[in-house]
Amino acid sequence: MANPFTPGNGIEPRYLAGRERYLEEFAKSLETFEGGLPQNTVVYGLRGTGKTVLARHFKIIAESRGWSVIEREFNEKFSDEALFGNSLTTDIASKASEVSIAKRIEQTGKKLLEALKPETLSAYGITYKPYYKEENKLLADYLKEILSSNWPVFKKAGKKGVLLIYDEMHNVRDIKESRQYPLSSLLEALSYVQRQGCRYYLCVCGLPTLKTNLKEAKTYTERMFNFQETANLTFEQAKKAMVGSLKGTKYSFEDKLISHIVSETNGYPYFVQFYGYFLVEKTAKNSIGMKDFDSRKKELLDRLDRSFFEDRFNLASGGEQGILLAMAKIDSPEAPTAEISRRAEMNYNNLMQLLIRLTEKGIIYRIKKGKYAFTIPLFKDYLKRRY
């Protein structure tokens, strides 16, 4: 039988534990929107806490209720207004063509989804105008037009709404220096079309910096979104995750081993899955206990360091790595800038520049004014262990 544990980027676990409340609240928010009150959701948390998996369950719930779902993962380049505007337009037009009779049409041997010819799409009520052809129009106004003009297509097809699931959304932010405002433009357009009766539900997922980016873009985001933080699982939830993953398989873990793994991983979903996967792969037996773990712990940590932590540490420059090592020496989950400066032996101005760069790289985030933390669970343990 295949390994019952599934560590990876957004890989669905065999047993999803501790996320029932999130799913119930999301289903309720869809019902509320259908009743006339617009809803949106922010899912934020550290890496490896199950944000992408949760979003996939949101998709299943939405589709079961008769919603269309559009998914996209973003990176830093989408802070450019033109790229962001074109991506949204393409996604909307593609999905609109899927749910309309136009999906059955082919032109010159190509499916309409591949062609996306504006003149053809318009014949079926679909608006497709690339943003680069609308140079004199503000992005917010352009998005309002695209969203509102295409909504009738979804409504006519019997869809209750359109769920936009945007993952890694912390990468998209407004950049005042270059006059790029993709995030504030999206929020303005979405708020406007929702008030006009267009059911576009926005679900954005990302690192904790996403909250800051949203609030800096528009002050009213607190009233637009339900904020959901994906943190580590409780001790009992993490145990259920392991026991549930093993259920129905030929493998079994000693109770003491399960408790030890949960404690050592602090209940973070990715690491719970990683530990379980490694032990099944490396132990040529069906019943696995603490002795098996102890004999392979060094190899397990070496594999974890190389596969999860090392690349992220190497993203940082020499000076930035010095900041990370200084933060690891602080005996608190929140590292004050004054203490980082003292331990790194660096003046305040240089320190702030490096902290900004590390934040942009997604390695740390600002918890509140003057205090920072790692975006990667157990990263401090890795730094102490390796450096």
Side-chain angles (χ1 to χ4, degrees):
M1 181 178 180
N3 196 314
F5 294 98
T6 56
N9 181 29
I11 304 299
E12 183 73 22
R14 292 189 75 240
Y15 183 86
L16 185 66
R19 300 304 187 222
E20 297 83 2
R21 175 179 62 84
Y22 300 91
L23 302 179
E24 290 172 3
E25 291 185 6
F26 177 75
K28 181 64 177 178
S29 70
L30 285 177
E31 183 181 344
T32 300
F33 202 160
E34 291 164 9
L37 180 61
Q39 301 282 292
N40 305 284
T41 292
V42 175
V43 179
Y44 69 96
L46 304 185
R47 295 195 183 278
T49 53
K51 298 181 294 296
T52 302
V53 169
L54 195 59
R56 288 182 178 175
H57 281 266
F58 288 172
K59 176 184 179 181
I60 294 171
I61 293 172
E63 289 181 335
S64 72
R65 295 184 65 93
W67 286 62
S68 281
V69 178
I70 293 172
E71 299 175 278
R72 182 178 281 272
E73 181 178 308
F74 288 92
N75 56 41
E76 295 85 352
K77 69 181 181 182
F78 287 97
S79 288
D80 177 83
E81 286 192 356
L83 287 173
F84 185 83
N86 287 334
S87 69
L88 185 142
T89 304
T90 300
D91 290 344
I92 293 291
S94 296
K95 185 59 68 171
S97 65
E98 282 184 19
V99 303
S100 71
I101 61 171
K103 68 180 180 180
R104 302 182 182 90
I105 304 298
E106 291 189 1
Q107 282 190 338
T108 62
K110 290 185 177 181
K111 292 183 178 179
L112 189 61
L113 270 175
E114 298 170 354
L116 287 177
K117 299 293 185 181
E119 62 273 14
T120 305
L121 292 174
S122 62
Y124 296 94
I126 300 169
T127 300
Y128 179 72
K129 297 179 180 179
Y131 183 58
Y132 64 82
K133 294 184 178 180
E134 303 283 327
E135 294 180 355
N136 296 322
K137 183 173 289 187
L138 292 174
L139 178 59
D141 294 336
Y142 167 79
L143 296 178
K144 291 175 187 176
E145 180 184 353
I146 293 297
L147 292 170
S148 60
S149 62
N150 281 298
W151 167 245
V153 177
F154 296 101
K155 186 176 182 180
K156 185 177 180 180
K159 296 298 180 181
K160 290 185 178 179
V162 180
L163 172 63
L164 305 170
I165 299 179
Y166 287 170
D167 204 0
E168 296 291 305
M169 193 63 180
H170 59 271
N171 288 313
V172 179
R173 61 190 181 89
D174 292 345
I175 306 176
K176 296 180 181 179
E177 296 78 9
S178 54
R179 300 173 64 87
Q180 298 294 310
Y181 302 98
L183 194 53
S184 56
S185 297
L186 172 65
L187 297 177
E188 179 184 334
L190 184 70
S191 178
Y192 172 81
V193 299
Q194 287 179 340
R195 293 195 302 270
Q196 304 307 307
C198 304
R199 287 189 195 156
Y200 289 100
Y201 187 125
L202 179 62
C203 174
V204 290
C205 308
L207 297 176
T209 50
L210 173 58
K211 287 180 63 182
T212 302
N213 293 345
L214 288 168
K215 291 178 180 179
E216 289 180 350
K218 291 292 181 183
T219 57
Y220 52 71
T221 51
E222 293 95 340
R223 288 169 284 159
M224 280 187 69
F225 290 93
N226 303 313
F227 287 85
Q228 301 280 15
E229 181 180 11
T230 56
N232 52 326
L233 301 172
T234 66
F235 186 85
E236 289 303 319
Q237 289 171 344
K239 283 185 67 175
K240 284 183 179 180
M242 294 205 73
V243 172
S245 295
L246 290 164
K247 188 176 181 180
T249 74
K250 65 181 181 180
Y251 301 105
S252 64
F253 280 23
E254 189 178 273
D255 288 344
K256 185 179 179 181
L257 173 60
I258 291 177
S259 295
H260 183 81
I261 290 174
V262 170
S263 296
E264 187 160 308
T265 61
N266 203 22
Y268 281 104
Y270 173 82
F271 298 105
V272 168
Q273 294 293 319
F274 183 92
Y275 273 54
Y277 181 88
F278 181 89
L279 289 173
V280 169
E281 289 293 301
K282 293 294 181 177
T283 307
K285 53 199 289 191
N286 296 340
S287 181
I288 302 172
M290 276 301 302
K291 288 184 178 180
D292 301 301
F293 175 82
D294 291 336
S295 66
R296 292 169 175 81
K297 182 172 180 178
K298 183 180 184 304
E299 183 184 358
L300 184 154
L301 292 177
D302 285 343
R303 173 79 67 83
L304 182 61
D305 290 349
R306 292 195 304 272
S307 65
F308 191 81
F309 294 118
E310 195 171 271
D311 288 346
R312 289 170 170 82
F313 183 69
N314 289 335
L315 281 175
S317 67
E320 292 164 1
Q321 289 179 354
I323 298 297
L324 297 176
L325 294 172
M327 290 177 63
K329 296 175 184 177
I330 298 173
D331 189 24
S332 169
E334 300 180 0
T337 53
E339 185 64 11
I340 300 172
S341 178
R342 185 182 73 81
R343 290 182 179 271
E345 300 180 350
M346 184 177 297
N347 68 57
Y348 181 80
N349 289 334
N350 289 341
L351 172 66
M352 293 310 298
Q353 289 299 316
L354 293 177
L355 289 174
I356 290 172
R357 282 159 51 182
L358 285 168
T359 300
E360 290 174 346
K361 291 178 179 180
I363 302 175
I364 65 171
Y365 70 102
R366 191 180 74 169
I367 302 175
K368 51 192 171 185
K369 187 175 182 180
K371 291 191 175 182
Y372 288 81
F374 298 116
T375 63
I376 309 160
L378 308 184
F379 195 55
K380 180 183 290 190
D381 295 338
Y382 158 75
L383 294 175
K384 288 181 176 179
R385 184 166 62 245
R386 300 289 285 195
Y387 299 96

